[in-house]
């Protein structure tokens, strides 16, 4: 009964909240009058993840269509270097990766990755998974112990969990190492 309530009530309500507050439309990258907040991406990603888990246990053509549309919209917001964060693309593009502890970039990346993995596992659709692999590749090119890379760690322990899931979904050991 709880899974059914989640599918019929919670997921539609969460989608409506993300839509009504501009969180989903923030991925259109045109919301300067009502700019995206630093963690909005994670809210949408959590909905994608929950929808993916629901689809895995209960196929639902309407939910599938909706989550595929949101996945494609998220992927469309990706920058050419692989970066994917609406706040730092629209609001503060010059401040990427400047405050890892407080600005939620790696936290949002983690939730986006988890949403992409759940979506892929439920539907077989690679659109979002491929985009988030490119984002993880960007993160790997940006951070590390090498002299030409940034040193840093996330303020939340989210990215690590997501990278393990990405490794399991892709069998690419770079994600596990990262």
């Amino acid at each position: 009964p709880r899974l059914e309530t989640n599918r019929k009530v919670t997921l539609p309500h969460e989608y409506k909240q993300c839509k009504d507050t501009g969180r989903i439309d923030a991925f259109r990258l045109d919301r300067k009058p009502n700019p995206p907040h630093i963690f909005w991406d994670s809210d949408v990603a959590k909905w994608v993840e929950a929808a993916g888990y629901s689809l895995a246990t209960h196929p639902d053509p309407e939910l599938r269509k909706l989550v595929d549309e949101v996945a494609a919209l998220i992927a469309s917001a990706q920058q050419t270097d692989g970066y994917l964060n609406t706040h730092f693309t629209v609001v503060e593009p010059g401040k990427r990766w400047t405050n890892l502890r407080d600005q939620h970039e790696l936290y949002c990346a983690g939730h986006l990755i988890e949403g992409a993995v759940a979506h892929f596992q439920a539907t077989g659709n690679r659109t979002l998974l491929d985009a988030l692999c490119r984002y993880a590749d960007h993160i790997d090119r940006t951070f590390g112990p090498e002299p030409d890379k940034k040193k840093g760690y996330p303020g939340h322990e989210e990215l690590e969990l997501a990278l393990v899931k990405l490794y399991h979904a892709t069998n690419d050991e770079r994600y596990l190492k990262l």
Side-chain angles (χ1 to χ4, degrees):
R2 289 183 179 163
L3 291 175
E4 191 69 7
T5 299
N6 184 59
R7 188 175 68 79
K8 289 186 172 181
V9 179
T10 307
L11 287 172
H13 179 73
E14 288 175 345
Y15 174 83
K16 184 179 182 321
Q17 288 297 307
C18 284
K19 189 72 174 161
D20 290 351
T21 59
R23 283 165 166 78
I24 290 172
D25 288 331
F27 287 96
R28 297 185 192 289
L29 304 180
D30 62 358
R31 300 289 299 206
K32 290 184 182 181
N34 182 15
H37 192 274
I38 59 172
F39 58 74
W40 274 14
D41 293 4
S42 69
D43 294 341
V44 177
K46 291 172 195 174
W47 178 82
V48 169
E49 181 182 12
Y53 289 145
S54 181
L55 288 170
T57 60
H58 190 282
D60 179 331
E62 287 181 37
L63 180 58
R64 166 73 191 265
K65 182 178 183 292
L66 196 58
V67 75
D68 284 351
E69 288 171 2
V70 171
L73 181 60
I74 293 169
S76 77
Q78 187 164 48
Q79 303 302 289
T80 57
D81 64 356
Y83 186 81
L84 181 54
N85 184 295
T86 60
H87 178 82
F88 290 97
T89 297
V90 173
V91 182
E92 296 182 288
K95 292 192 175 180
R96 275 191 197 181
W97 309 128
T98 59
N99 183 346
L100 299 177
R101 189 190 74 187
D102 298 321
Q103 297 298 323
H104 293 75
E105 280 173 283
L106 293 170
Y107 171 80
C108 289
H111 279 296
L112 285 166
I113 290 168
E114 288 194 293
V117 169
H119 177 248
F120 167 68
Q121 289 175 335
T123 68
N125 182 326
R126 292 192 61 96
T127 301
L128 192 55
L129 183 69
D130 289 344
L132 271 296
C133 285
R134 287 189 299 274
Y135 194 15
D137 294 344
H138 169 80
I139 292 168
D140 189 36
R141 286 189 307 273
T142 303
F143 294 95
E146 297 87 351
D148 62 329
K149 291 186 177 183
K150 288 183 174 287
K151 313 304 181 258
Y153 54 89
H156 293 290
E157 54 287 306
E158 173 57 31
L159 181 61
E160 300 86 346
L161 302 169
L163 288 168
V164 171
K165 289 181 181 183
L166 188 59
Y167 159 69
H168 286 294
T170 64
N171 292 316
D172 190 331
E173 290 193 17
R174 290 177 308 127
Y175 302 132
L176 188 60
K177 183 179 179 217
L178 180 60

